């Protein structure tokens, strides 16, 4: 069990490329595309890494417009929409390009 927890922690430990830009990897769960739960989790990690103070996530919405390639890294671009007194708003764009024949 500890091995699975370590694997999950490593999967969620995104690489910081530059300000508001993070890179993650994929894990083969089932199928040929990236698992949506992984993308949502990594997106949340990316958003949290842009916070100046400790906050809790109250709402999360996701749209899966295209499949992700498990063999390509996933880049998460965080747009800091609002840093208010009570709420913080972020938009995370997942970039993972796939060539279709």
């Amino acid at each position: 069990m500890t091995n699975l927890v370590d694997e999950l922690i490593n999967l969620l430990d995104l690489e910081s490329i530059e300000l508001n830009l993070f890179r993650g990897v994929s894990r083969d769960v089932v199928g040929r595309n990236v698992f949506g739960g992984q993308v949502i989790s990594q997106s949340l990690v990316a958003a949290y890494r842009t916070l100046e103070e400790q906050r809790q996530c109250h709402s999360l919405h996701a749209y899966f417009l295209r499949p992700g390639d498990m063999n390509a890294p996933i880049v998460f671009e965080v747009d800091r929409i609002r840093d208010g007194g009570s709420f913080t708003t972020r938009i995370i764009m997942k970039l993972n390009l796939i060539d279709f024949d």
Side-chain angles (χ1 to χ4, degrees), residues 45-99:
V45 168
Y48 266 110
R49 292 198 177 167
T50 65
L51 299 177
E52 300 297 323
E53 60 184 86
Q54 188 173 351
R55 302 275 185 161
Q56 290 185 8
C57 180
H58 293 276
S59 179
L60 176 69
H61 305 270
Y63 298 95
F64 299 101
L65 302 178
R66 300 189 71 182
D69 183 358
M70 278 188 289
N71 299 316
I74 302 172
V75 176
F76 297 91
E77 181 179 0
V78 181
D79 190 358
R80 299 178 188 223
I81 301 297
R82 180 175 187 272
D83 286 313
S86 299
F87 292 96
T88 299
T89 305
R90 299 290 189 258
I91 292 178
I92 299 92
M93 186 72 115
K94 172 196 139 323
L95 308 168
N96 181 297
L97 303 176
I98 303 175
D99 291 329

Side-chain angles (χ1 to χ4, degrees), residues 6-40:
D6 292 338
E7 220 177 297
L8 177 62
I9 290 170
N10 288 334
L11 187 66
L12 296 178
D13 187 22
L14 303 178
E15 174 190 358
S16 179
I17 300 172
E18 61 183 56
L19 185 67
N20 302 326
L21 208 57
F22 304 91
R23 181 175 23 227
V25 295
S26 298
R27 181 176 185 271
D28 185 0
V29 179
V30 174
R32 60 187 171 129
N33 298 322
V34 177
F35 175 58
Q38 170 201 312
V39 174
I40 291 172

